[in-house]
Amino acid sequence: TNLARMLEHGRLGGTGKMLILPVDQGFEHGPARSFGPNPPAYDPHYHFELALAAGCNAYAAPLGFLEAGARDYAGRIPLILKLNDHDLLADEEDPEQAITGSVADALRLGACAIGFTIYPGSTHRNAMYGQIREIAEEAKSVGLAVVIWSYARGSALSKAGETAIDVIGYAAQIAAQLGAHIIKVKLPTDHIEQPAARKVYESTGIAIGTAAERVRHVVQCAFNGRRIVIFSGGAHAEEATFLDEIRAIQAGGGFGSIVGRNAFQRSRADALTLLGQITDIYAGKTG
Ligand code: FBP
């Protein structure tokens, strides 16, 4: 029911597609880097208003941001409580996340889902897989959906490897096997990181030449479309480039996007225009 609440809400309600506003960047990247480009975004209420005005399916944030808007926005938009977070105050080759909220917090805030980041590629990955196994079991036992941010990074991977097609496909599969209902990954490139995988991609001719083909393959890796795969927006980009990515996700059978910086780092008016264009593409109203 909670998954359905998210799928039915907002401008994309009923289409099977999703647009989610995630605002954990204040924790993940720092407040000035995140909100400095558009200072009204320092205010937690700004993001509730933006997600509502844009007709997003859901708004995802850590505990503090959700608590800061809970009284004024209760029941107005599906919420996803991020239960772990990472900061950039220490330089680490192998990142891990701290647990920053609980399933009880998610219930108290009336959230539809819990969100959790894993870092396939980090030496801490097995601990993170164990954490989400326990948290997902608890969340599902009380009817909450599970959203996994599957971000490949760590000393096992090159920089290019973090978005390599084989690694993103693998990250999507791991999140699906960990029981995610919604899987969030980065848009992959055509780089292949692992030599053993390269042989298979080349010998079997898996189509990964275009962005849309790569999206299709990642969706295939997440149980052939039986799990919802959405793609992260990334750093602030030119509108035309960004919309080309959205068209590729749509053409490749992706389920939508989770767009943070490309929304709240623009002025409210520009963000609403861009988010409106995104929902039009996913709703099939424009090509
Ligand atoms: P963006 O659209 O801003 O990329 O947000 C998506 C997101 O997953 C956030 O939830 C998270 O804070 C951020 O990306 C992580 O980005 P990075 O890969 O730079 O750490």
Side-chain angles (χ1 to χ4, degrees), residues 22 24-25 28-29 149 151 153 184 186 232-235 258-262:
D24 57 349
Q25 295 81 353
E28 298 275 332
H29 301 151
W149 276 234
Y151 277 1
R153 62 183 58 165
K184 167 182 176 174
K186 296 198 174 194
S232 56
I258 178 155
V259 177
R261 286 166 287 180
N262 273 289

Side-chain angles (χ1 to χ4, degrees), residues 2-56:
N2 275 318
L3 188 56
R5 277 170 68 198
M6 292 190 281
L7 283 164
E8 293 303 318
H9 189 88
R11 283 206 194 131
L12 290 171
T15 63
K17 302 282 174 167
M18 299 190 99
L19 175 64
I20 296 173
L21 178 72
V23 191
D24 57 349
Q25 295 81 353
F27 202 135
E28 298 275 332
H29 301 151
R33 262 179 72 186
S34 302
F35 309 132
N38 178 33
Y42 281 102
D43 181 348
H45 286 207
Y46 180 86
H47 303 289
F48 282 89
E49 292 287 352
L50 184 60
L52 276 166
C56 291

Side-chain angles (χ1 to χ4, degrees), residues 12-278:
L12 290 171
T15 63
K17 302 282 174 167
M18 299 190 99
L19 175 64
I20 296 173
L21 178 72
V23 191
D24 57 349
Q25 295 81 353
F27 202 135
E28 298 275 332
H29 301 151
R33 262 179 72 186
S34 302
F35 309 132
N38 178 33
Y42 281 102
D43 181 348
H45 286 207
Y46 180 86
H47 303 289
F48 282 89
E49 292 287 352
L50 184 60
L52 276 166
C56 291
N57 296 72
Y59 168 51
L63 182 70
F65 255 20
L66 291 196
E67 283 187 344
R71 194 190 56 197
D72 295 80
Y73 298 95
R76 293 176 59 193
I77 185 162
L79 300 175
I80 302 169
L81 175 63
K82 274 289 304 294
L83 291 191
N84 64 352
D85 285 286
H86 169 259
D87 68 52
L88 288 184
L89 289 170
D91 204 9
E92 308 149 299
E93 224 190 333
D94 283 296
E96 60 182 323
Q97 295 245 338
I99 305 290
T100 54
S102 66
V103 169
D105 289 323
L107 286 178
R108 176 171 56 85
L109 291 163
C112 290
I114 59 103
F116 197 89
T117 299
I118 55 171
Y119 291 136
S122 168
T123 50
H124 302 294
R125 68 192 185 287
N126 290 335
M128 303 179 86
Y129 300 162
Q131 288 166 353
I132 184 56
R133 193 211 66 74
E134 276 181 28
I135 289 173
E137 183 181 32
E138 189 186 351
K140 289 174 186 178
S141 77
V142 292
L144 296 177
V146 173
V147 186
I148 296 186
W149 276 234
S150 194
Y151 277 1
R153 62 183 58 165
S155 59
L157 300 171
S158 69
K159 192 69 194 157
E162 292 180 3
T163 49
I165 180 64
D166 57 323
V167 173
I168 296 290
Y170 204 158
Q173 167 79 197
I174 289 169
Q177 295 290 6
L178 286 167
H181 299 104
I182 301 177
I183 297 160
K184 167 182 176 174
V185 288
K186 296 198 174 194
L187 203 58
T189 66
D190 63 3
H191 174 68
I192 300 175
E193 177 81 349
Q194 298 193 297
R198 172 178 297 282
K199 278 191 199 155
V200 178
Y201 279 84
E202 287 172 356
S203 65
T204 61
I206 300 170
I208 53 164
T210 67
E213 286 171 341
R214 294 191 285 276
V215 166
R216 191 167 299 287
H217 176 57
V218 173
V219 170
Q220 180 182 48
C221 289
F223 299 179
N224 217 16
R226 294 187 187 278
R227 291 294 176 268
I228 295 170
V229 182
I230 56 177
F231 293 83
S232 56
H236 190 292
E238 286 297 320
E239 184 179 297
T241 314
F242 191 68
L243 289 175
D244 280 346
E245 290 184 1
I246 302 295
R247 289 187 193 97
I249 295 166
Q250 172 74 348
F255 290 75
S257 289
I258 178 155
V259 177
R261 286 166 287 180
N262 273 289
F264 66 73
Q265 290 185 343
R266 289 177 151 81
S267 70
R268 186 173 187 277
D270 287 353
L272 288 176
T273 301
L274 184 67
L275 295 171
Q277 289 167 305
I278 294 172

